[in-house]
Amino acid sequence: MIIYMINTFRTCQKTDSERSQKMIRIGIMGYGNLGRGVECALKQNPDTELVAVFTRRNPDDVKILTETAGVYKADEITKFRSEIDVLIICGGSSTDLPWQTPEYAAMFNVVDSFDTHAGIPEHFEKVDAAARNAGTTAVISAGWDPGMFSINRVYAESILPEGETYTFWGKGVSQGHSDAVRRIEGVLDARQYTIPVDSALAAVRSGSAPELSTREKHTRLVYVVAEDGADEQVITEEIVTMKNYFVDYDTTVKFIDEETMARDHSGIPHGGFVIRTGRTGLESENSHVVEYKLQLESNPEFTASVLVAVARATYRMSLEEMKGAKSILDIPPAMLSPKSPEVLRKSML
Amino acid sequence: MIIYMINTFRTCQKTDSERSQKMIRIGIMGYGNLGRGVECALKQNPDTELVAVFTRRNPDDVKILTETAGVYKADEITKFRSEIDVLIICGGSSTDLPWQTPEYAAMFNVVDSFDTHAGIPEHFEKVDAAARNAGTTAVISAGWDPGMFSINRVYAESILPEGETYTFWGKGVSQGHSDAVRRIEGVLDARQYTIPVDSALAAVRSGSAPELSTREKHTRLVYVVAEDGADEQVITEEIVTMKNYFVDYDTTVKFIDEETMARDHSGIPHGGFVIRTGRTGLESENSHVVEYKLQLESNPEFTASVLVAVARATYRMSLEEMKGAKSILDIPPAMLSPKSPEVLRKSML
């Protein structure tokens, strides 16, 4: 690892001395699963350093993993304008990011993982206005979906204009669906897995461009810890008929005890597939399959890893005066890498 | 398809009227499998139009598929400086592209598919000098490897710095290996398939980061049409012991007749896998698998489809004064798409 660092930095020095001599100073806003994941990811990226974590909790109650960084109250962030190159905002998409990202983009280069697909255009506009006004660079919706899946949809559709794109999710934990089940009376704990249907994946990969209903693409599997004496039949019925969440899917409900839940279902795995099939040739005679697949043992840590690579690109874009809001679709792949363009061409192209 | 065009162009008009009103005028240099593939791909991209095909053959002997385009001798290209926005150079990497791309980059925005990995840094330098001097934009090494595979290597390594990247090729036809077998005495025709080893793929996907020898990753399968009376044993021995081509692989040789060769092996399929496995978390406790897979019925047509999407980006980069040599690693994904940034954010992010 040390040899790799030296090589990378030496090469960088030849082409961009400022970039190589300076560590990218990172702040983290919000210290939940995602914020902790960002902190861990920074340790794997030797050109970045964590300066500060900002929290809405009492800073004294928040123990972080990086000795050289401090923990501060969220509203103290205004004092850090000259200390932080990029702020990674680790709030939630429903109530935090819609106001946080515009507010902090007015002070810092920022990255967020805003993932409410339908709200992206409005979020982009607000963040863009704030960032342009302040002369900062702000990348929204970095992660894997939106994020790496989006990139793969764009590449594959651009290369194969005649075709169909499919996205499958899972096998993985859906927090939203797990929470919905937990709100049912008699449920102590619940964990919901979204599972892609193998036969649907096979049909897509065959190039037959099938039309697939919601029910045909994914099944749902729910593990429930019920209260003593609760009626499992009633809980099951309430789950499988729940509108927006389960009624359109084939759902299996399994009742387990608390120990089993803790032992077998404490992880937050996820992943999925973006598959495009398309045809080329004068009479569309040749068929192609482009498939991108993620299998993640920790959804928040992988998302955090994307955020850190994107933070590097955000810093570089800010140096190149590329101001305003961006998405991961606007970032050249080379900008995400710690390696110089020369090294990338030599070793990765 | 017509509705899609109108929608796309309407949206484009709002943000960039010049781009939407103007078709991107394309020239093709070289009309073999790749050039024909580019011509077919252009028909699938309504914002592009083929202006001219240039050939070293007698233009009267070259019949193309586009009525509105002309065929010209290669040296007539100098007359087309103001007629062509991007020239797609479809020559071979060993003897054509090393001189063609610098020469034509001095006159046009160009795209090539230079795929001699070891020669990329030198090729880049030469093309960069020519393009900077002329104020043109030149993208080299667009295709799938180098190309889409390179992009995926860079993304996955940037996101997961602690990990290993593997590339597997096939199942697909290797022209170089097929040609090598055809040069053996007694061989009338040959077709060589490179095949990834399933157990090696499984070991990689498991996250165990195996060290794999050349022999463990791929096998080779050769179909041979032999001359009447040729000694199959001798031919087989010569193939499996051939240095640089076969000796490091487990190779199977099958003798077939000409009809079978023509019926079952006239296609040029290819593809492969880029897989990165990596770990995250404070103690690297979580494992992730990122996999990109291509299954292509026509290697040249898919490569051509990448070239056309890259030509669109090349034209846009030239409008934005991004001059000099670039690779696909320098291109933001959004630039490859005919859709506007707004539409991409709304529909693909």
Side-chain angles (χ1 to χ4, degrees):
Chain A
M1 181 53 103
I2 288 161
I3 291 165
Y4 160 83
M5 272 181 62
I6 292 167
N7 282 342
T8 306
F9 282 17
R10 267 200 199 136
T11 313
C12 285
Q13 273 173 351
K14 279 188 258 174
T15 56
D16 186 341
S17 61
E18 190 182 331
R19 182 185 295 166
S20 70
Q21 284 160 7
K22 191 182 170 305
M23 300 282 269
I24 305 172
R25 300 168 304 168
I26 303 287
I28 295 174
M29 173 59 70
Y31 197 68
N33 281 333
L34 188 59
R36 259 189 304 276
V38 168
E39 185 182 18
C40 292
L42 291 171
K43 292 183 187 298
Q44 296 184 332
N45 287 274
D47 59 339
T48 64
E49 70 177 314
L50 179 62
V51 171
V53 169
F54 302 93
T55 176
R56 282 176 288 195
R57 289 177 275 167
N58 180 347
D60 296 337
D61 297 342
V62 176
K63 297 281 164 269
I64 66 171
L65 311 165
T66 308
E67 289 182 7
T68 52
V71 183
Y72 304 90
K73 282 197 77 76
D75 54 16
E76 291 184 87
I77 196 169
T78 53
K79 301 174 196 160
F80 283 81
R81 285 195 186 208
S82 58
E83 316 291 323
I84 288 173
D85 296 314
V86 183
L87 179 69
I88 302 180
I89 310 177
C90 299
S93 293
S94 51
T95 56
D96 300 327
L97 298 177
W99 67 266
Q100 280 184 327
T101 311
E103 180 160 320
Y104 297 128
M107 293 182 265
F108 299 95
N109 300 313
V110 299
V111 179
D112 80 16
S113 63
F114 184 80
D115 67 358
T116 311
H117 289 265
I120 285 174
E122 185 189 344
H123 187 60
F124 183 91
E125 293 304 326
K126 283 185 184 166
V127 174
D128 192 48
R132 282 187 192 280
N133 193 45
T136 62
T137 305
V139 180
I140 66 157
S141 301
W144 59 272
D145 194 7
M148 296 311 300
F149 274 17
S150 322
I151 287 173
N152 277 281
R153 287 189 278 262
V154 170
Y155 277 128
E157 187 188 273
S158 302
I159 294 167
L160 296 172
E162 278 185 20
E164 297 293 331
T165 301
Y166 299 82
T167 302
F168 290 86
W169 294 272
K171 181 183 175 178
V173 171
S174 164
Q175 303 284 10
H177 287 76
S178 300
D179 289 344
V181 174
R182 285 193 200 100
R183 285 192 293 266
I184 294 173
E185 205 184 308
V187 171
L188 289 175
D189 197 5
R191 193 63 45 102
Q192 195 267 191
Y193 293 92
T194 308
I195 303 168
V197 175
D198 280 337
S199 60
L201 278 168
V204 165
R205 289 187 184 119
S206 76
S208 67
E211 281 197 36
L212 296 168
S213 68
T214 299
R215 191 177 298 276
E216 287 168 323
K217 286 182 73 184
H218 298 92
T219 57
R220 297 194 181 278
L221 172 60
V222 189
Y223 291 94
V224 175
V225 179
E227 281 174 14
D228 274 352
D231 187 329
E232 298 187 354
Q233 200 93 39
V234 169
I235 291 172
T236 301
E237 187 61 20
E238 197 163 337
I239 293 171
V240 301
T241 58
M242 197 188 292
K243 277 186 191 167
N244 299 324
Y245 285 87
F246 293 99
V247 71
D248 295 329
Y249 298 84
D250 291 337
T251 301
T252 305
V253 181
K254 294 187 180 179
F255 290 87
I256 58 177
D257 59 30
E258 272 175 282
E259 292 78 56
T260 308
M261 180 67 86
R263 187 189 66 223
D264 298 344
H265 303 287
S266 62
I268 319 175
H270 219 313
F273 306 78
V274 172
I275 305 175
R276 185 169 181 87
T277 60
R279 289 156 298 284
T280 63
L282 189 63
E283 286 162 338
S284 302
E285 63 271 28
N286 287 310
S287 174
H288 308 280
V289 185
V290 181
E291 177 169 338
Y292 183 75
K293 177 182 171 187
L294 293 177
Q295 238 180 299
L296 313 174
E297 278 191 1
S298 167
N299 182 354
E301 285 179 9
F302 188 83
T303 301
S305 297
V306 176
L307 288 173
V308 169
V310 169
R312 175 183 294 119
T314 303
Y315 176 62
R316 291 175 175 178
M317 288 192 286
S318 79
L319 291 183
E320 297 187 9
E321 304 282 322
M322 296 163 69
K323 294 169 182 176
K326 315 278 174 201
S327 84
I328 200 164
L329 302 176
D330 304 311
I331 303 175
M335 274 212 181
L336 298 169
S337 173
K339 295 183 174 169
S340 72
E342 290 81 355
V343 171
L344 287 179
R345 282 195 295 272
K346 197 179 160 80
S347 62
M348 312 280 280
L349 197 61
Chain B
M1 182 53 102
I2 288 163
I3 291 165
Y4 160 82
M5 274 181 63
I6 292 168
N7 282 342
T8 307
F9 282 17
R10 267 198 199 136
T11 314
C12 286
Q13 272 171 353
K14 277 189 261 176
T15 56
D16 185 341
S17 60
E18 189 181 335
R19 182 186 295 166
S20 70
Q21 284 161 7
K22 192 181 169 309
M23 300 282 268
I24 304 172
R25 300 166 305 168
I26 304 287
I28 296 174
M29 173 60 69
Y31 197 69
N33 281 334
L34 188 59
R36 258 189 305 276
V38 168
E39 185 181 19
C40 292
L42 291 171
K43 292 182 188 298
Q44 295 185 332
N45 286 275
D47 58 340
T48 65
E49 70 177 315
L50 179 63
V51 171
V53 169
F54 302 93
T55 176
R56 283 176 288 195
R57 288 176 275 169
N58 180 348
D60 296 337
D61 296 341
V62 176
K63 297 282 164 267
I64 65 171
L65 312 163
T66 309
E67 289 183 6
T68 51
V71 182
Y72 304 90
K73 281 197 79 74
D75 56 14
E76 290 184 271
I77 197 170
T78 54
K79 300 176 197 160
F80 284 81
R81 286 194 185 209
S82 59
E83 317 290 322
I84 288 172
D85 296 313
V86 183
L87 180 69
I88 301 180
I89 310 177
C90 299
S93 293
S94 52
T95 57
D96 300 327
L97 299 176
W99 66 266
Q100 280 183 327
T101 310
E103 179 159 321
Y104 298 127
M107 293 183 265
F108 299 94
N109 301 312
V110 300
V111 179
D112 80 16
S113 63
F114 184 80
D115 66 0
T116 311
H117 289 266
I120 285 174
E122 185 190 344
H123 187 60
F124 184 90
E125 294 304 327
K126 284 186 185 167
V127 174
D128 192 48
R132 283 189 191 279
N133 193 43
T136 60
T137 305
V139 180
I140 67 157
S141 302
W144 58 274
D145 194 9
M148 295 312 299
F149 274 16
S150 322
I151 287 173
N152 277 281
R153 287 189 279 261
V154 170
Y155 277 128
E157 188 188 271
S158 302
I159 295 167
L160 295 173
E162 277 185 20
E164 297 293 331
T165 302
Y166 298 83
T167 302
F168 290 86
W169 295 272
K171 181 183 176 178
V173 172
S174 163
Q175 303 283 8
H177 286 77
S178 302
D179 290 344
V181 174
R182 285 192 200 100
R183 285 191 293 267
I184 294 173
E185 206 184 308
V187 171
L188 288 175
D189 197 5
R191 193 66 44 100
Q192 195 267 193
Y193 294 92
T194 307
I195 303 169
V197 175
D198 281 337
S199 59
L201 279 168
V204 166
R205 289 187 184 119
S206 76
S208 68
E211 280 198 37
L212 295 167
S213 67
T214 299
R215 191 177 298 275
E216 286 168 323
K217 285 183 72 183
H218 298 93
T219 57
R220 298 193 179 280
L221 173 60
V222 189
Y223 291 94
V224 175
V225 179
E227 281 174 16
D228 275 351
D231 187 330
E232 298 188 354
Q233 201 91 39
V234 170
I235 292 172
T236 300
E237 188 60 22
E238 197 162 339
I239 293 171
V240 301
T241 59
M242 196 187 294
K243 278 186 189 166
N244 299 324
Y245 286 87
F246 293 99
V247 72
D248 296 328
Y249 298 85
D250 290 337
T251 301
T252 305
V253 181
K254 293 188 179 178
F255 290 87
I256 58 176
D257 59 30
E258 273 175 282
E259 293 78 55
T260 308
M261 180 67 85
R263 187 190 66 224
D264 298 344
H265 304 285
S266 61
I268 318 175
H270 220 311
F273 306 77
V274 172
I275 305 175
R276 185 168 181 87
T277 59
R279 288 157 300 284
T280 62
L282 189 63
E283 287 163 338
S284 303
E285 62 271 29
N286 287 309
S287 173
H288 309 279
V289 185
V290 180
E291 176 170 337
Y292 182 75
K293 177 181 171 187
L294 293 176
Q295 238 180 301
L296 314 174
E297 278 190 1
S298 167
N299 182 354
E301 285 179 10
F302 188 83
T303 301
S305 297
V306 176
L307 288 172
V308 169
V310 169
R312 173 184 295 119
T314 303
Y315 176 62
R316 291 175 175 178
M317 288 192 286
S318 78
L319 291 182
E320 297 187 10
E321 304 282 322
M322 297 163 71
K323 294 168 183 176
K326 315 278 175 201
S327 83
I328 201 164
L329 302 176
D330 304 311
I331 303 175
M335 273 212 182
L336 299 168
S337 172
K339 295 181 175 170
S340 73
E342 290 83 355
V343 170
L344 288 179
R345 281 195 296 272
K346 197 181 160 77
S347 63
M348 312 280 278
L349 198 59

